Amino acid sequence: MSTDRSDLAARIDMTKPHPARRYDYWLGGKDNFQADRDAAEAIAAVFPHIRTAARENRAFMQRAVRFLAAEAGVRQFLDIGTGLPTADNVHEVAQRIAPESRIVYVDNDPLVLVHARALLASSPQGATAYIDADARDPEQILADPALRDTLDLTQPVALLLVALLHFIEDHEDPYAVVQRLVASLPAGSFLVLSHATFDPLDAETIAAMDAVNKNIKPVFSPRPLAAVSRFFDGLDLLEPGIVSVSDWRPQPGPRPTPAEATGYGAVARVG
């Protein structure tokens, strides 16, 4: 993977918040700018549980990857909307269980690309690759040589769309994006998906969140359960189905409520 530093610098706009950098801030990371922090704090002011929600979403992803690597025998992962590297990225979780695991990361934030070397620290037995692309263009992702060189699409792949689709608006047809990506996978593959929702929130909190979100780009589109369920049409949902991210095969002990986690998560089998 080669990068032109001058081109990357030109693409990084420090004056506008970006979801990946805002998420990084909520998780306690340092790869964010003042605009990201301002937007993140504006949301936290009306929804104080936002850091909990970010951590729970991340923990859902890690549990799903552990399950797929340890119990389902998956050795290939395609993580779209990767975000900035932090503790226990997909390849670290998967390769801890199966060192031969192969992972392709995809993101469109140039700052993620700057830090992508941290995502490429594969075990000697496995492989990782990074694709600089937008989820709204699945054809570009699927045609990228890095994907074909790293993953064998005749063998099962786990497709991860974690905390991504609520940044694709209805007019951009997120369902078509998911359908195209899933259609590229062989039988025995899996879809891991999480999505923000306002379902468990009270009307006052929803109104306050809407007021803040209307001033932040890209547009944030939380969806109700029925709309999230559509992403899994034609797939076989694994137990416990579509639930709060905190309630998907949780570790023992207390956990946040659905109103604190504010996200649905599920894993489904393809074919």
Side-chain angles (χ1 to χ4, degrees), residues 50-198:
I50 188 62
R51 288 177 175 82
T52 297
R55 289 193 299 268
E56 288 301 306
N57 181 77
R58 184 80 182 173
F60 158 75
M61 178 276 287
Q62 292 162 348
R63 292 196 306 276
V65 171
R66 279 195 294 270
F67 162 77
L68 291 172
E71 299 185 40
V74 175
R75 298 293 180 262
Q76 303 189 110
F77 298 82
L78 174 57
D79 181 10
I80 301 179
T82 298
L84 285 150
T86 184
D88 279 349
N89 300 294
V90 171
H91 73 281
E92 293 166 319
V93 176
Q95 291 182 346
R96 196 173 296 138
I97 296 164
E100 69 274 23
S101 297
R102 307 175 72 82
I103 296 90
V104 172
Y105 292 107
V106 182
D107 206 290
N108 70 335
D109 179 1
L111 190 60
V112 179
L113 180 55
V114 168
H115 292 281
R117 67 174 66 89
L119 297 170
L120 300 177
S122 174
S123 69
Q125 303 96 317
T128 58
Y130 183 89
I131 297 173
D132 179 24
D134 194 310
R136 297 171 185 80
D137 189 357
E139 298 301 337
Q140 178 188 354
I141 296 169
L142 295 171
D144 195 290
L147 186 146
R148 301 287 172 167
D149 290 346
T150 309
L151 303 182
D152 177 359
L153 295 186
T154 68
Q155 299 298 316
V157 175
L159 168 64
L160 281 74
L161 302 173
V162 175
L164 169 70
L165 295 168
H166 43 247
F167 295 114
I168 301 181
E169 298 179 64
D170 287 342
H171 72 85
E172 296 170 311
D173 203 350
Y175 299 102
V177 169
V178 175
Q179 288 167 3
R180 177 65 186 96
L181 291 167
V182 169
S184 72
L185 306 178
S189 295
F190 293 87
L191 171 63
V192 178
L193 187 152
S194 69
H195 197 295
T197 186
F198 284 171

Side-chain angles (χ1 to χ4, degrees), residues 198-220:
F198 284 171
D199 281 356
L201 301 181
D202 61 79
E204 182 179 354
T205 301
I206 293 172
M209 290 281 280
D210 285 340
V212 170
N213 285 324
K214 72 179 181 181
N215 297 316
I216 298 176
K217 301 295 182 181
V219 173
F220 177 62

